[in-house]
Amino acid sequence: MSFWLSNFIRLHLTTPWPILIYAFTWTTLLTLTVLAATLSLQVAFISAITPSSSFSQKCNNVGSIRMPLDFPGDTLCFPAPLFMKSKVDLIVPPVFAAVIVAASAFMVRAVGLFDRDQTP
């Protein structure tokens, strides 16, 4: 804990305030972007499973699951055994999250947030 605190104090005393403000600003913007992307998916899912949604109506075939297509009114019914939980479901979300975090870090680096002006 003291190592983290000493690094924070050293960073605070040696780093000019504008860089810290830039870092805070970009961190906030990236957090809000991830929040908006996550909430939009949850809102879409909740609206799809509401009882008034055409998506949540049952298929005519027993043991089938209704899947939407690109156009709002079109749906297909698939057999329920096709939609089973697999072991890949445990691996894909963390890998996807790591790729997104790495891409956002490279984006911040590409923008050049931490490049200092070398002009005298």
Side-chain angles (χ1 to χ4, degrees):
M1 184 66 162
S2 63
F3 177 71
W4 178 81
L5 185 60
S6 66
N7 280 341
F8 179 75
I9 291 171
R10 186 168 34 109
L11 177 70
H12 177 62
L13 294 177
T14 60
T15 306
W17 280 103
I19 290 179
L20 292 176
I21 292 171
Y22 291 150
F24 176 76
T25 303
W26 279 104
T27 302
T28 304
L29 286 174
L30 289 172
T31 303
L32 290 175
T33 303
V34 169
L35 180 70
T38 303
L39 287 179
S40 65
L41 293 175
Q42 289 179 0
V43 168
F45 177 74
I46 294 298
S47 67
I49 64 171
T50 57
S52 62
S53 173
S54 64
F55 176 70
S56 64
Q57 295 172 0
K58 294 182 179 180
C59 288
N60 294 334
N61 301 336
V62 176
S64 294
I65 296 175
R66 191 176 188 134
M67 296 298 294
L69 296 176
D70 290 339
F71 300 106
D74 296 338
T75 56
L76 284 177
C77 293
F78 291 99
L82 290 177
F83 298 97
M84 296 174 57
K85 197 168 190 170
S86 69
K87 294 179 182 179
V88 178
D89 293 338
L90 296 174
I91 297 169
V92 171
V95 170
F96 181 72
V99 168
I100 294 300
V101 168
S104 65
F106 284 123
M107 192 266 314
V108 168
R109 186 173 180 198
V111 170
L113 275 181
F114 299 108
D115 291 341
R116 292 188 182 179
D117 232 350
Q118 298 298 328
T119 57

